[in-house]
Amino acid sequence: MGSTLGCSRDAGSTISVQPAPAAPASSEELAPEGNPRNKTALKPGRSLMDWVKLGHSGADLAGTKGTLLDVTPQELAKHSKRNDAWMALKGKVYNVTPYMEFHPGGEEELMRGAGQDATHLFNEVHKWVNFEGMLQKCLVGRLVESRPFFLKPSFLPLGRSSSKTHNATEQKNSLSVPNTNAQTVSSARSPLVSPLTPSPLPSPKYDWFQTHTVINLAVYTRWKHMTRERVVVLKREAVVKVVCYIQDMVYVVHLELDKAVSHEFEVRVGGSVGKVDILLQKQETGVRWSRVGKTLPGHGEHLKGKDMEIEYVECTLVRREAITHNTSLLVLQVPEQTHLPVPVGYHVYLRSPSKEIVKPYTPVASALSLTSQEEPGRHIHLFIKVYSDGALTPILDALPVSSTVELTAATTTASHLVLLAAGTGLTPMVKLMLPALRNKKNVHLLLFNKTENDIPWKQEFENLVEESSSLLKVSHVLSEGSSSWTGLRGRIDKTLLEKLLPENSQQQTTYLCLCGPTEFTKLGISLLGDLGYSSDACHAFLG
């Protein structure tokens, strides 16, 4: 289903505790051709704001005159035409007919889910979108199962079976907390309920220990590359939620503690089994706990990161810094009792105060320096481009300092790292290049922009080249450089890449990453394939 809310960014928001694989940054003027936002041109009067106004007009968008219905899959399937389209999402049925002309992804994309339970399709593309708010006036009723119902083959998730069973695994000893929330996905459930996909690694194990002063929550991730940057901790008094990002999987510990602990805690990661320790200080020292507490929903889950429910955390805007004429750096501070780092290659979602607009952003490093390293988990730095007609960015740009916003809750082993970025597609690259340079890797950044004024951090990059002892090379490519521009000109193409990329040989291992408008990124991947780079050597940041 086409992206309901494109990739441009907007304001007044909260931070999600679930980072997700990085989305393409919006930089619409930089795409080689086509529509970089992957949107369909809408008729006048069919913008997001127009849809919001229509929702508040009192019109009967559901077509049921205020009555909520129980809808069977058989009844739902009857409403699959352009002028009569119903769709089920997470157990609720919506009449999407009036929304057709407002959908940024186009009518054809929306029609792919008409007459069906489109939950899985929706989650694959933009699970972060608050469809309940967008479609609340279109609510027909709830989806009820009268008999087994199977989707059309094109909607069945490939490579998945609805009969798989997930068993949450825990350390079995006298101090272990039993998992009372292990989930089973069976054939009796809807085929669109995503099964909990097993990790290629052994299942993580959880245990807890105590001393006279400390409660230690321990997760054995079995992954030797585990770092503190891949551990999220949300603590609200006695409730503690730990989310470990293990490759593309997550493992969750969710507890209500038996006794009081202090606000402060410590996160430690290490060992050959990727052990994660959350150290909590007992308020009553010397008191021995007979149990750690009770489990809460989600405890013990081990599932694909994209299948995890989105959760939001309220953060505070503490600083705004202009970078270019239309870009800014926003610094957001996470709440107390929260450890919220964002792993390399992941993004967060910002949500508007109305909760109707949600946008993905890829955080950047706190500074373009090899020696400056901020403690992860306390601040999130976002590089945004402001669009005058954007739904969210004008709000973010005008947001006063001290305002609160809502956000959603690896360096390669290659010897050469090549980063191709268009506009704000630079954001995930900053987090990739700094660790690589600290590990003495050769890094070549190819940054595509429109004009000189669109180049962010130009002087900082020059300083970083010098600081890295020339391990870093930066090539700026402009599509509309001025007459005084002496650097590279043009757009991404095969001739340009042949000139700039290192030799593709067995003597050196090169890893390439691309991020930018969708057209730019897809064309780049195609060109790299034409130049002989394998798919294993390339990674595209696509939402």
Side-chain angles (χ1 to χ4, degrees):
M1 192 179 302
S3 177
T4 301
L5 303 172
C7 293
S8 60
R9 331 293 199 213
D10 283 22
S13 303
T14 305
I15 289 186
S16 158
V17 302
Q18 180 185 337
S26 60
S27 187
E28 54 194 1
E29 70 277 16
L30 298 170
E33 62 183 357
N35 185 349
R37 288 196 185 184
N38 201 25
K39 287 186 176 183
T40 296
L42 300 176
K43 298 177 182 178
R46 297 298 186 270
S47 69
L48 174 61
M49 292 300 102
D50 291 316
W51 173 252
V52 173
K53 291 177 183 177
L54 179 60
H56 292 117
S57 68
D60 181 16
L61 301 183
T64 60
K65 299 181 180 180
T67 302
L68 294 180
L69 310 176
D70 285 345
V71 182
T72 66
Q74 292 74 23
E75 177 65 24
L76 175 63
K78 297 176 183 177
H79 300 270
S80 59
K81 300 180 177 61
R82 166 61 186 83
N83 60 354
D84 179 20
W86 290 8
M87 179 186 298
L89 294 170
K90 296 186 178 180
K92 295 180 180 180
V93 177
Y94 298 92
N95 181 359
V96 296
T97 311
Y99 185 58
M100 287 288 175
E101 293 186 349
F102 294 85
H103 185 236
E107 295 181 12
E108 289 186 6
E109 286 296 312
L110 198 60
M111 282 300 297
R112 291 176 60 200
Q116 306 188 47
D117 186 335
T119 305
H120 177 75
L121 181 65
F122 179 86
N123 285 344
E124 286 293 320
V125 180
H126 41 224
K127 62 179 281 187
W128 56 88
V129 174
N130 179 20
F131 68 84
E132 290 95 340
M134 293 284 291
L135 300 176
Q136 60 178 331
K137 302 296 184 178
C138 300
L139 180 62
V140 173
R142 62 173 184 159
L143 182 65
V144 295
E145 294 287 346
S146 59
R147 58 181 180 271
F149 173 68
F150 298 94
L151 297 174
K152 295 179 181 178
S154 61
F155 278 81
L156 289 175
L158 296 177
R160 294 182 177 182
S161 169
S162 60
S163 61
K164 291 183 179 179
T165 300
H166 163 70
N167 294 313
T169 306
E170 292 191 342
Q171 184 78 6
K172 299 299 182 183
N173 60 40
S174 59
L175 295 182
S176 291
V177 176
N179 178 15
T180 59
N181 293 283
Q183 297 186 14
T184 299
V185 180
S186 69
S187 57
R189 297 177 66 177
S190 165
L192 286 184
V193 177
S194 299
L196 304 179
T197 310
S199 169
L201 298 170
S203 295
K205 292 187 177 182
Y206 157 76
D207 206 345
W208 73 279
F209 310 95
Q210 64 178 310
T211 67
H212 290 301
T213 59
V214 172
I215 293 294
N216 181 5
L217 306 181
V219 177
Y220 302 89
T221 69
R222 315 292 186 87
W223 190 36
K224 63 181 180 180
H225 301 296
M226 194 68 191
T227 64
R228 292 181 73 247
E229 287 74 18
R230 303 184 74 88
V231 180
V232 168
V233 181
L234 297 178
K235 181 176 175 295
R236 297 294 178 268
E237 304 307 330
V239 174
V240 178
K241 187 172 188 178
V242 181
V243 182
C244 298
Y245 289 84
I246 309 164
Q247 292 183 329
D248 61 344
M249 307 288 289
V250 294
Y251 181 77
V252 180
V253 173
H254 197 193
L255 303 168
E256 183 177 345
L257 301 175
D258 202 42
K259 302 182 187 300
V261 294
S262 301
H263 287 181
E264 297 77 18
F265 59 85
E266 183 180 354
V267 179
R268 294 180 184 174
V269 176
S272 59
V273 294
K275 185 185 177 193
V276 175
D277 292 303
I278 310 299
L279 305 179
L280 306 164
Q281 300 294 321
K282 294 179 178 178
Q283 278 198 358
E284 294 183 86
T285 59
V287 175
R288 184 169 182 80
W289 293 22
S290 59
R291 64 170 194 161
V292 70
K294 67 179 182 180
T295 60
L296 297 176
H299 178 77
E301 285 187 345
H302 183 215
L303 65 161
K304 285 282 189 181
K306 65 182 181 63
D307 292 332
M308 186 177 177
E309 287 297 317
I310 295 293
E311 184 173 351
Y312 286 88
V313 176
E314 192 171 84
C315 298
T316 303
L317 175 65
V318 293
R319 183 163 62 91
R320 177 192 289 105
E321 177 184 342
I323 303 300
T324 68
H325 64 103
N326 62 353
T327 61
S328 297
L329 179 71
L330 304 184
V331 181
L332 302 173
Q333 181 173 302
V334 306
E336 293 184 358
Q337 304 185 64
T338 301
H339 180 254
L340 189 62
V342 182
V344 171
Y346 284 70
H347 61 229
V348 295
Y349 299 107
L350 264 70
R351 184 164 67 180
S352 67
S354 67
K355 305 191 186 306
E356 293 175 327
I357 304 171
V358 180
K359 303 286 184 179
Y361 291 86
T362 303
V364 297
S366 58
L368 283 176
S369 170
L370 297 181
T371 56
S372 174
Q373 294 192 63
E374 182 179 280
E375 177 71 15
R378 293 303 307 148
H379 292 89
I380 292 178
H381 299 74
L382 300 179
F383 177 52
I384 70 165
K385 183 171 184 177
V386 179
Y387 295 94
S388 59
D389 61 344
L392 185 59
T393 49
I395 305 172
L396 287 176
D397 191 49
L399 202 63
V401 172
S402 298
S403 300
T404 57
V405 297
E406 284 188 329
L407 298 182
T408 57
T411 303
T412 175
T413 57
S415 58
H416 287 70
L417 184 64
V418 179
L419 310 174
L420 296 86
T424 50
L426 170 66
T427 52
M429 306 310 187
V430 174
K431 274 198 164 186
L432 286 169
M433 73 169 65
L434 295 180
L437 292 171
R438 293 188 187 105
N439 289 310
K440 305 303 180 184
K441 308 291 185 182
N442 291 286
V443 179
H444 187 182
L445 172 66
L446 282 63
L447 187 55
F448 294 78
N449 279 290
K450 187 175 181 179
T451 69
E452 292 97 318
N453 290 335
D454 295 311
I455 300 175
W457 294 307
K458 190 172 186 294
Q459 185 59 52
E460 286 83 352
F461 276 121
E462 292 177 3
N463 295 341
L464 189 58
V465 169
E466 183 176 349
E467 185 182 353
S468 69
S469 301
S470 299
L471 284 172
L472 172 65
K473 179 181 178 181
V474 179
S475 298
H476 294 288
V477 184
L478 300 183
S479 60
E480 298 181 16
S482 67
S483 58
S484 62
W485 175 252
T486 58
L488 296 167
R489 296 174 180 269
R491 299 179 185 273
I492 186 170
D493 60 32
K494 187 174 181 179
T495 302
L496 181 67
L497 294 183
E498 284 179 322
K499 181 190 305 183
L500 295 176
L501 296 182
E503 181 183 0
N504 184 17
S505 68
Q506 295 181 347
Q507 282 68 47
Q508 67 180 33
T509 305
T510 300
Y511 191 73
L512 304 102
C513 298
L514 300 93
C515 188
T518 302
E519 293 287 343
F520 168 90
T521 306
K522 289 184 176 180
L523 176 59
I525 285 292
S526 176
L527 293 172
L528 293 176
D530 292 343
L531 293 172
Y533 290 95
S534 70
S535 58
D536 291 339
C538 307
H539 177 76
F541 292 102
L542 287 168

